[in-house]
Amino acid sequence: MVFTFNKFHPLNPNWQQDIPNDLQFLFERIRLEHYEELYEPEADGTASLQDTLTEVLELLRDKNQTITHLRYLWMTLIITLVVEPTLQYYQPGNSRPRDIIMFIASYILAIVNGSINNYDNNIKSRFLSLSKTVSENRNYSIEKEIANFQILDEAIDVFDNAIRVCDYEQAVEAILNILDDCLEGYAIFPGSYGRRELFDWWLLDVVPASYNLLPPKSFYVVEGVKNKDKMKLLHLPSFSLLNQISSEIHNITLQQAI
């Protein structure tokens, strides 16, 4: 199957504007709303974060189901890369998060290059294996002092749901669970401070990046975190991975179009 992604060129400086008007209008509306779930003092209870997230995911849909699935997988890949440093810090010996990230990355490329049918021969067993090991690692040894086990549990839950996104029928529900763990939970950082900024990063950077299958402009690190500089360094390989995959997608689609 040949996929054509209009304007999905990594060197296009206006890629974040290459989204449908419906999404742009939705962005403008949401920017004026305030959510109790994000601990915003301006919130009056009229806006539901869950409804907003569902609406955004719905507008990422394409008439081509495969493109829709690629966008959901790409969003999942970005978010898991942001959550990975949490598990790297508390469970440096746990290799499963990286295994899942690379599994999703290879799955995306298998879809794009048309080899997904061959890939399906092994995907179910790999899918079940990774799901099982993620759940088992909820009791994995912790090598750093942790103030709240919710941090670890929700970070692991992100990767548990990331595997489920590979099943198109489960994708939306799984992404909503991931977003709950990150936007309202502790998977990325604990506490109430910075929740709106994290949401805005997802909405205005991750969503357009997912629509276009390109890296976001930045990886979110909450202001004031003690190890902010270290976290930024941990994100450098993530940028490299996303750039590499995005370039491969562009090269594949370009060759298919010739």
XYZ file of all heavy atoms in Angstrom, residues 60-147:
725
model
N -7.982 13.631 15.054
C -6.770 13.069 14.446
C -7.098 11.950 13.466
O -6.220 11.472 12.750
C -5.816 12.530 15.523
C -4.995 13.553 16.311
C -4.145 12.849 17.347
C -4.118 14.390 15.387
N -8.357 11.550 13.451
C -8.758 10.470 12.553
C -8.681 10.902 11.095
O -8.922 12.058 10.756
C -10.183 10.009 12.866
C -10.325 9.265 14.177
C -11.735 8.746 14.345
N -11.904 8.035 15.596
C -11.599 6.751 15.772
N -11.138 6.033 14.754
N -11.771 6.170 16.939
N -8.326 9.939 10.267
C -8.294 10.125 8.822
C -9.247 9.103 8.205
O -9.557 8.082 8.832
C -6.860 9.908 8.298
C -6.722 10.236 6.830
O -6.456 11.407 6.513
O -6.890 9.311 6.003
N -9.712 9.358 6.982
C -10.565 8.373 6.320
C -9.817 7.066 6.093
O -10.431 6.002 5.944
C -11.087 8.925 4.999
C -10.006 9.306 3.994
C -10.621 9.916 2.739
C -9.538 10.319 1.735
N -10.133 10.948 0.520
N -8.484 7.148 6.053
C -7.639 5.959 5.965
C -7.310 5.501 7.385
O -6.588 6.180 8.113
C -6.356 6.288 5.192
C -5.476 5.069 4.965
O -5.384 4.192 5.809
N -4.821 5.032 3.815
N -7.840 4.368 7.801
C -7.653 3.875 9.166
C -6.180 3.689 9.513
O -5.775 3.911 10.658
C -8.405 2.563 9.345
C -8.257 1.950 10.730
C -9.070 0.681 10.903
O -10.278 0.702 10.759
N -8.408 -0.431 11.214
N -5.394 3.303 8.542
C -3.969 3.061 8.801
C -3.256 4.353 9.178
O -2.411 4.368 10.077
C -3.298 2.426 7.570
O -3.981 1.225 7.239
C -1.840 2.111 7.851
N -3.579 5.444 8.507
C -2.977 6.731 8.847
C -3.411 7.156 10.246
O -2.605 7.670 11.040
C -3.344 7.797 7.800
C -2.667 7.466 6.464
C -2.926 9.194 8.267
C -2.990 8.429 5.343
N -4.677 6.931 10.569
C -5.159 7.234 11.918
C -4.343 6.465 12.952
O -3.895 7.032 13.953
C -6.644 6.843 12.057
O -7.413 7.562 11.093
C -7.166 7.171 13.451
N -4.147 5.173 12.697
C -3.395 4.344 13.639
C -1.952 4.828 13.758
O -1.393 4.871 14.868
C -3.433 2.881 13.180
C -3.071 1.916 14.258
N -2.798 0.586 14.016
C -2.919 2.077 15.606
C -2.503 -0.019 15.149
N -2.566 0.863 16.127
N -1.344 5.215 12.651
C 0.026 5.731 12.697
C 0.115 6.977 13.570
O 1.071 7.152 14.328
C 0.523 6.038 11.283
C 0.932 4.836 10.428
C 1.138 5.262 8.978
C 2.196 4.179 10.978
N -0.862 7.850 13.468
C -0.857 9.063 14.298
C -0.979 8.716 15.776
O -0.285 9.314 16.621
C -1.994 9.991 13.864
C -1.758 10.643 12.514
C -2.987 11.379 12.027
N -2.728 12.023 10.733
C -3.675 12.472 9.918
N -4.956 12.367 10.271
N -3.361 13.048 8.776
N -1.829 7.752 16.103
C -1.970 7.352 17.497
C -0.685 6.694 18.003
O -0.256 6.927 19.144
C -3.135 6.369 17.645
C -4.505 6.984 17.442
C -5.607 6.193 17.118
C -4.725 8.362 17.571
C -6.869 6.743 16.948
C -5.973 8.923 17.393
C -7.053 8.105 17.071
O -8.301 8.652 16.901
N -0.073 5.874 17.169
C 1.185 5.238 17.553
C 2.292 6.270 17.736
O 3.116 6.160 18.652
C 1.597 4.211 16.490
C 0.791 2.908 16.462
C 1.026 2.160 15.152
C 1.160 2.017 17.651
N 2.305 7.275 16.868
C 3.352 8.313 16.945
C 3.193 9.119 18.233
O 4.184 9.412 18.909
C 3.269 9.213 15.721
C 4.468 10.097 15.560
C 4.570 11.424 15.883
C 5.754 9.733 15.050
N 5.822 11.900 15.605
C 6.568 10.873 15.090
C 6.290 8.532 14.556
C 7.888 10.867 14.652
C 7.610 8.523 14.128
C 8.385 9.684 14.180
N 1.955 9.473 18.585
C 1.720 10.184 19.838
C 2.177 9.333 21.015
O 2.820 9.841 21.949
C 0.238 10.525 19.989
C -0.099 11.216 21.306
S -1.854 11.640 21.461
C -1.986 12.934 20.226
N 1.877 8.055 20.963
C 2.287 7.145 22.032
C 3.797 7.066 22.134
O 4.362 7.071 23.241
C 1.700 5.740 21.770
O 0.281 5.836 21.699
C 2.096 4.770 22.869
N 4.465 7.023 21.001
C 5.924 6.958 20.997
C 6.516 8.203 21.651
O 7.436 8.111 22.473
C 6.432 6.820 19.560
C 7.938 6.661 19.373
C 8.451 5.420 20.093
C 8.291 6.589 17.881
N 5.999 9.379 21.314
C 6.496 10.621 21.913
C 6.316 10.598 23.427
O 7.248 10.904 24.189
C 5.771 11.845 21.321
C 6.137 12.032 19.843
C 6.122 13.115 22.102
C 5.322 13.108 19.138
N 5.123 10.230 23.879
C 4.841 10.269 25.314
C 5.673 9.247 26.074
O 6.191 9.535 27.162
C 3.341 10.056 25.574
C 2.544 11.222 24.975
C 3.066 9.959 27.071
C 1.048 11.061 25.054
N 5.837 8.045 25.528
C 6.655 7.050 26.229
C 8.107 7.520 26.353
O 8.767 7.236 27.355
C 6.612 5.674 25.524
O 6.962 5.828 24.142
C 5.249 5.044 25.636
N 8.579 8.236 25.351
C 9.948 8.761 25.423
C 10.078 9.815 26.520
O 11.150 9.966 27.116
C 10.352 9.347 24.074
C 10.670 8.318 22.984
C 10.746 8.987 21.611
C 11.976 7.591 23.284
N 8.998 10.548 26.797
C 9.023 11.542 27.866
C 8.913 10.879 29.240
O 9.507 11.341 30.210
C 7.878 12.564 27.671
C 7.813 13.545 28.840
C 8.080 13.346 26.374
N 8.179 9.782 29.307
C 7.996 9.077 30.584
C 9.195 8.188 30.912
O 9.492 7.940 32.086
C 6.703 8.238 30.549
C 6.561 7.383 31.806
C 5.484 9.147 30.394
N 9.904 7.739 29.899
C 11.011 6.799 30.111
C 12.012 7.254 31.171
O 12.457 6.430 31.994
C 11.735 6.536 28.791
C 12.827 5.469 28.914
C 13.619 5.266 27.628
O 13.617 6.198 26.782
O 14.216 4.197 27.466
N 12.419 8.542 31.217
C 13.386 8.943 32.251
C 12.911 8.697 33.677
O 13.734 8.474 34.570
C 13.570 10.449 31.986
C 13.301 10.599 30.528
C 12.187 9.631 30.258
N 11.593 8.707 33.913
C 11.075 8.405 35.252
C 11.468 7.001 35.665
O 11.959 6.760 36.778
C 9.537 8.551 35.281
O 9.175 9.886 34.948
C 8.997 8.212 36.664
N 11.264 6.038 34.750
C 11.618 4.657 35.067
C 13.133 4.449 35.035
O 13.658 3.618 35.783
C 10.928 3.710 34.097
C 9.403 3.624 34.272
C 8.791 2.696 33.232
C 9.049 3.140 35.674
N 13.831 5.203 34.186
C 15.293 5.109 34.181
C 15.869 5.523 35.537
O 16.866 4.968 35.996
C 15.878 5.996 33.081
C 15.748 5.432 31.676
C 16.367 6.343 30.639
O 16.385 7.568 30.811
N 16.872 5.778 29.563
N 15.232 6.493 36.143
C 15.715 7.007 37.427
C 15.462 6.012 38.559
O 16.359 5.715 39.345
C 15.023 8.338 37.739
C 15.489 8.971 39.035
C 16.702 9.666 39.092
C 14.727 8.871 40.201
C 17.134 10.245 40.280
C 15.148 9.439 41.384
C 16.357 10.132 41.418
O 16.788 10.697 42.588
N 14.236 5.486 38.632
C 13.875 4.605 39.734
C 14.208 3.139 39.472
O 14.417 2.373 40.411
C 12.378 4.730 40.044
C 12.018 6.058 40.661
C 11.271 6.989 39.951
C 12.445 6.398 41.943
C 10.943 8.214 40.503
C 12.128 7.623 42.502
C 11.378 8.534 41.783
O 11.069 9.751 42.328
N 14.233 2.739 38.208
C 14.514 1.351 37.853
C 15.553 1.294 36.728
O 15.258 0.872 35.621
C 13.235 0.656 37.388
C 12.140 0.563 38.420
C 10.936 -0.211 37.887
O 10.706 -0.273 36.688
N 10.172 -0.798 38.774
N 16.779 1.720 37.004
C 17.794 1.741 35.943
C 18.087 0.375 35.340
O 18.587 0.291 34.217
C 19.028 2.330 36.654
C 18.773 2.128 38.113
C 17.305 2.216 38.297
N 17.748 -0.701 36.059
C 17.987 -2.038 35.525
C 16.827 -2.596 34.725
O 16.912 -3.721 34.221
N 15.756 -1.820 34.591
C 14.563 -2.283 33.882
C 14.672 -1.910 32.401
O 14.572 -0.738 32.034
C 13.314 -1.647 34.507
C 12.028 -2.126 33.866
O 12.037 -2.924 32.937
N 10.910 -1.623 34.373
N 14.870 -2.900 31.557
C 15.058 -2.645 30.123
C 13.746 -2.665 29.334
O 13.739 -2.354 28.145
C 16.006 -3.690 29.523
O 15.432 -4.990 29.627
N 12.636 -3.015 29.984
C 11.382 -3.189 29.255
C 10.844 -1.902 28.637
O 10.316 -1.939 27.518
C 10.327 -3.823 30.169
C 10.643 -5.258 30.544
C 10.948 -6.099 29.311
N 11.292 -7.470 29.661
C 11.754 -8.352 28.808
N 11.936 -8.027 27.554
N 12.060 -9.574 29.197
N 10.941 -0.752 29.302
C 10.462 0.472 28.648
C 11.149 0.725 27.306
O 10.493 1.053 26.309
C 10.793 1.570 29.665
C 10.737 0.870 30.979
C 11.298 -0.499 30.717
N 12.455 0.540 27.262
C 13.182 0.728 25.993
C 12.771 -0.333 24.978
O 12.637 -0.035 23.787
C 14.682 0.674 26.272
C 15.606 0.758 25.068
C 15.375 1.911 24.128
N 15.185 3.216 24.704
C 15.281 4.358 24.023
N 15.601 4.327 22.723
N 15.037 5.511 24.601
N 12.547 -1.562 25.430
C 12.086 -2.620 24.519
C 10.753 -2.234 23.885
O 10.542 -2.446 22.682
C 11.924 -3.945 25.274
C 13.246 -4.549 25.705
O 14.290 -4.146 25.152
O 13.227 -5.419 26.599
N 9.861 -1.674 24.682
C 8.542 -1.294 24.179
C 8.651 -0.121 23.216
O 7.988 -0.085 22.174
C 7.606 -0.961 25.362
C 7.283 -2.246 26.119
C 6.329 -0.272 24.879
C 6.585 -2.028 27.445
N 9.483 0.848 23.538
C 9.696 1.994 22.642
C 10.196 1.516 21.284
O 9.692 1.939 20.231
C 10.685 2.989 23.276
C 9.991 3.757 24.412
C 11.243 3.960 22.235
C 10.928 4.582 25.260
N 11.176 0.637 21.285
C 11.729 0.161 20.022
C 10.730 -0.730 19.285
O 10.702 -0.757 18.047
C 13.036 -0.597 20.272
C 14.128 0.260 20.906
S 14.381 1.859 20.070
C 14.896 1.314 18.433
N 9.901 -1.448 20.027
C 8.861 -2.276 19.421
C 7.853 -1.388 18.678
O 7.488 -1.661 17.531
C 8.155 -3.079 20.510
C 6.975 -3.884 20.014
C 7.159 -5.046 19.290
C 5.678 -3.478 20.292
C 6.074 -5.794 18.843
C 4.588 -4.218 19.853
C 4.789 -5.377 19.130
N 7.419 -0.305 19.323
C 6.472 0.610 18.683
C 7.113 1.275 17.470
O 6.479 1.423 16.420
C 5.979 1.667 19.692
C 5.144 0.990 20.795
C 5.149 2.752 18.995
C 4.774 1.911 21.942
N 8.370 1.677 17.608
C 9.073 2.310 16.482
C 9.153 1.366 15.289
O 8.886 1.773 14.143
C 10.473 2.730 16.920
N 9.498 0.115 15.533
C 9.610 -0.844 14.436
C 8.239 -1.172 13.856
O 8.108 -1.418 12.652
C 10.308 -2.123 14.914
O 9.557 -2.769 15.916
N 7.229 -1.157 14.698
C 5.866 -1.417 14.233
C 5.403 -0.306 13.291
O 4.780 -0.570 12.254
C 4.938 -1.530 15.440
C 3.534 -2.004 15.110
C 3.326 -3.236 14.506
C 2.419 -1.237 15.447
C 2.044 -3.690 14.218
C 1.138 -1.683 15.164
C 0.955 -2.900 14.551
O -0.299 -3.348 14.267
N 5.714 0.933 13.644
C 5.381 2.074 12.783
C 6.031 1.919 11.422
O 5.383 2.075 10.378
C 5.823 3.399 13.447
C 4.926 3.724 14.650
C 5.788 4.558 12.438
C 5.408 4.887 15.488
N 7.307 1.597 11.405
C 8.027 1.454 10.132
C 7.506 0.264 9.332
O 7.443 0.319 8.101
C 9.526 1.306 10.393
C 10.226 2.576 10.900
C 11.678 2.277 11.254
C 10.158 3.685 9.856
N 7.111 -0.796 10.025
C 6.553 -1.960 9.324
C 5.252 -1.600 8.626
O 4.978 -2.064 7.516
C 6.335 -3.108 10.298
N 4.447 -0.752 9.266
C 3.198 -0.303 8.647
C 3.497 0.545 7.419
O 2.919 0.350 6.346
C 2.355 0.506 9.651
C 1.843 -0.402 10.778
C 1.164 1.166 8.941
C 1.115 0.348 11.886
N 4.419 1.482 7.561
C 4.705 2.422 6.475
C 5.332 1.734 5.268
O 4.978 2.032 4.117
C 5.612 3.567 6.975
C 6.019 4.486 5.821
C 4.902 4.384 8.045
N 6.266 0.812 5.513
C 6.948 0.193 4.370
C 6.202 -1.005 3.793
O 6.685 -1.661 2.873
C 8.395 -0.177 4.726
C 8.495 -1.286 5.765
O 7.613 -2.124 5.909
N 9.595 -1.275 6.506
N 5.024 -1.280 4.344
C 4.181 -2.319 3.764
C 4.539 -3.732 4.150
O 4.034 -4.684 3.549
N 5.401 -3.902 5.154
C 5.803 -5.250 5.558
C 5.024 -5.737 6.772
O 5.411 -6.703 7.418
C 7.308 -5.282 5.871
O 7.608 -4.443 6.975
N 3.922 -5.065 7.077
C 3.185 -5.388 8.294
C 2.624 -6.804 8.265
O 2.489 -7.451 9.304
C 2.065 -4.351 8.530
C 1.493 -4.500 9.947
C 0.966 -4.471 7.474
C 2.460 -4.196 11.030
N 2.283 -7.331 7.080
C 1.749 -8.694 7.011
C 2.769 -9.718 7.492
O 2.450 -10.660 8.218
C 1.304 -9.019 5.585
C 0.054 -8.247 5.190
O -0.733 -7.876 6.050
N -0.107 -7.998 3.907
N 4.019 -9.534 7.072
C 5.084 -10.419 7.549
C 5.358 -10.185 9.029
O 5.644 -11.099 9.787
C 6.367 -10.191 6.746
C 6.210 -10.591 5.299
O 5.460 -11.501 4.991
N 6.926 -9.911 4.410
N 5.266 -8.914 9.415
C 5.520 -8.552 10.808
C 4.481 -9.173 11.728
O 4.763 -9.526 12.861
C 5.489 -7.022 10.931
C 6.191 -6.450 12.131
C 7.579 -6.396 12.180
C 5.474 -5.939 13.217
C 8.235 -5.848 13.272
C 6.120 -5.387 14.311
C 7.498 -5.345 14.330
O 8.137 -4.800 15.414
N 3.257 -9.348 11.222
C 2.168 -9.903 12.016
C 2.443 -11.329 12.483
O 1.852 -11.791 13.451
C 0.860 -9.892 11.216
C 0.109 -8.579 11.375
O 0.389 -7.885 12.360
O -0.729 -8.268 10.520
N 3.327 -12.030 11.779
C 3.629 -13.408 12.161
C 4.210 -13.490 13.571
O 4.027 -14.478 14.272
C 4.621 -14.025 11.165
C 4.014 -14.192 9.783
O 2.811 -14.358 9.652
N 4.849 -14.154 8.762
N 4.920 -12.436 13.972
C 5.562 -12.452 15.281
C 4.952 -11.472 16.276
O 5.263 -11.517 17.461
C 7.056 -12.109 15.139
C 7.791 -13.099 14.268
O 7.577 -14.301 14.379
N 8.651 -12.607 13.390
N 4.073 -10.599 15.792
C 3.633 -9.500 16.637
C 2.802 -9.947 17.829
O 2.928 -9.411 18.922
C 2.875 -8.439 15.813
C 2.712 -7.181 16.651
C 1.538 -8.950 15.338
C 2.177 -6.004 15.883
N 1.949 -10.952 17.641
C 1.074 -11.365 18.737
C 1.866 -11.925 19.905
O 1.617 -11.595 21.065
C 0.043 -12.373 18.240
C -1.024 -11.759 17.348
C -2.088 -12.774 16.970
C -3.153 -12.113 16.101
N -4.213 -13.073 15.697
N 2.843 -12.782 19.601
C 3.645 -13.355 20.676
C 4.494 -12.273 21.347
O 4.657 -12.270 22.572
C 4.542 -14.469 20.138
O 5.410 -13.980 19.141
N 5.035 -11.350 20.546
C 5.835 -10.256 21.115
C 4.954 -9.339 21.955
O 5.344 -8.871 23.022
C 6.467 -9.480 19.956
C 7.456 -8.417 20.405
C 8.869 -8.971 20.417
N 9.779 -7.991 20.988
C 10.314 -7.008 20.278
N 10.036 -6.875 19.008
N 11.146 -6.165 20.846
N 3.761 -9.060 21.439
C 2.788 -8.218 22.136
C 2.479 -8.796 23.515
O 2.534 -8.105 24.535
C 1.514 -8.140 21.279
C 0.400 -7.327 21.862
C 0.197 -6.014 21.477
C -0.478 -7.883 22.781
C -0.854 -5.268 22.004
C -1.527 -7.142 23.312
C -1.713 -5.838 22.917
N 2.160 -10.085 23.568
C 1.803 -10.735 24.821
C 2.992 -10.796 25.773
O 2.853 -10.613 26.984
C 1.271 -12.144 24.546
C -0.075 -12.207 23.819
C -0.396 -13.656 23.428
C -1.187 -11.624 24.674
N 4.166 -11.040 25.217
C 5.371 -11.124 26.039
C 5.687 -9.794 26.706
O 5.969 -9.731 27.905
C 6.559 -11.570 25.177
O 7.758 -11.535 25.919
N 5.620 -8.714 25.925
C 5.920 -7.398 26.476
C 4.871 -6.982 27.499
O 5.195 -6.403 28.537
C 5.999 -6.363 25.351
C 7.261 -6.425 24.483
C 7.135 -5.494 23.287
C 8.501 -6.072 25.303
N 3.601 -7.257 27.210
C 2.530 -6.915 28.150
C 2.733 -7.621 29.484
O 2.565 -7.033 30.550
C 1.169 -7.299 27.569
O 0.887 -6.556 26.409
N 3.106 -8.883 29.407
C 3.310 -9.668 30.629
C 4.473 -9.124 31.441
O 4.364 -8.962 32.661
C 3.569 -11.131 30.263
C 3.767 -12.033 31.475
C 4.019 -13.475 31.038
C 4.260 -14.370 32.238
N 4.534 -15.772 31.844
N 5.568 -8.815 30.797
C 6.744 -8.355 31.531
C 6.538 -6.963 32.119
O 7.079 -6.650 33.177
C 7.989 -8.336 30.629
O 7.710 -7.580 29.441
C 8.399 -9.730 30.234
N 5.750 -6.114 31.446
C 5.469 -4.799 32.015
C 4.718 -4.954 33.324
O 5.045 -4.321 34.331
C 4.651 -3.935 31.029
C 4.145 -2.677 31.720
C 5.506 -3.527 29.853
N 3.687 -5.771 33.328
C 2.910 -5.988 34.540
C 3.760 -6.578 35.656
O 3.649 -6.192 36.822
C 1.725 -6.921 34.244
O 0.849 -6.322 33.312
N 4.640 -7.516 35.312
C 5.505 -8.128 36.315
C 6.445 -7.102 36.949
O 6.784 -7.190 38.121
C 6.320 -9.252 35.677
C 5.496 -10.498 35.336
C 6.300 -11.527 34.577
O 7.423 -11.191 34.144
O 5.808 -12.654 34.422
N 6.848 -6.100 36.163
C 7.810 -5.122 36.658
C 7.198 -4.090 37.603
O 7.871 -3.190 38.075
C 8.487 -4.404 35.480
C 9.598 -5.249 34.891
O 10.232 -6.022 35.595
N 9.826 -5.111 33.604
N 5.903 -4.221 37.883
C 5.304 -3.349 38.890
C 5.916 -3.633 40.264
O 5.874 -2.789 41.155
C 3.788 -3.545 38.935
C 3.093 -2.996 37.709
C 1.581 -3.095 37.819
N 0.933 -2.643 36.603
C 0.689 -1.363 36.318
N 1.037 -0.428 37.164
N 0.107 -1.012 35.185
N 6.469 -4.811 40.428
C 7.127 -5.165 41.685
C 8.651 -5.189 41.528
O 9.346 -5.803 42.320
C 6.625 -6.539 42.165
C 5.135 -6.538 42.432
O 4.618 -5.598 43.021
N 4.455 -7.592 42.003
N 9.125 -4.522 40.497
C 10.556 -4.481 40.218
C 11.276 -3.725 41.340
O 10.729 -2.797 41.942
C 10.779 -3.777 38.882
C 12.059 -4.140 38.181
C 12.114 -5.238 37.330
C 13.204 -3.380 38.334
C 13.280 -5.562 36.659
C 14.374 -3.696 37.676
C 14.402 -4.786 36.838
O 15.562 -5.097 36.180
N 12.510 -4.093 41.608
C 13.255 -3.433 42.675
C 13.488 -1.963 42.345
O 13.733 -1.595 41.205
C 14.600 -4.135 42.889
O 15.376 -4.070 41.707
N 13.403 -1.128 43.360
C 13.606 0.318 43.206
C 14.957 0.674 43.794
O 15.266 0.342 44.942
C 12.482 1.098 43.919
C 11.133 0.713 43.337
C 12.712 2.595 43.808
C 9.966 1.293 44.096
N 15.779 1.366 43.028
C 17.143 1.662 43.446
C 17.314 3.082 43.970
O 18.397 3.465 44.390
C 18.105 1.418 42.271
C 18.088 -0.026 41.788
C 19.079 -0.281 40.680
O 20.099 0.440 40.616
O 18.855 -1.201 39.872
N 16.240 3.886 43.930
C 16.293 5.249 44.454
C 15.133 5.448 45.415
O 14.066 4.840 45.263
C 16.193 6.273 43.312
C 17.292 6.165 42.267
C 18.609 6.662 42.808
C 19.719 6.513 41.764
N 19.539 7.375 40.607
N 15.341 6.298 46.398
C 14.257 6.595 47.335
C 13.099 7.234 46.587
O 13.292 8.112 45.743
C 14.762 7.530 48.431
C 13.712 7.852 49.474
C 14.235 8.766 50.564
O 15.466 9.011 50.584
O 13.415 9.223 51.374
N 11.880 6.791 46.890
C 10.700 7.297 46.188
C 9.679 7.777 47.219
O 9.390 7.090 48.200
C 10.098 6.208 45.272
C 8.988 6.795 44.401
C 9.604 5.016 46.047
C 8.552 5.854 43.281
N 9.174 8.993 47.011
C 8.252 9.597 47.963
C 6.846 9.024 47.826
O 6.099 8.950 48.808
C 8.224 11.112 47.778
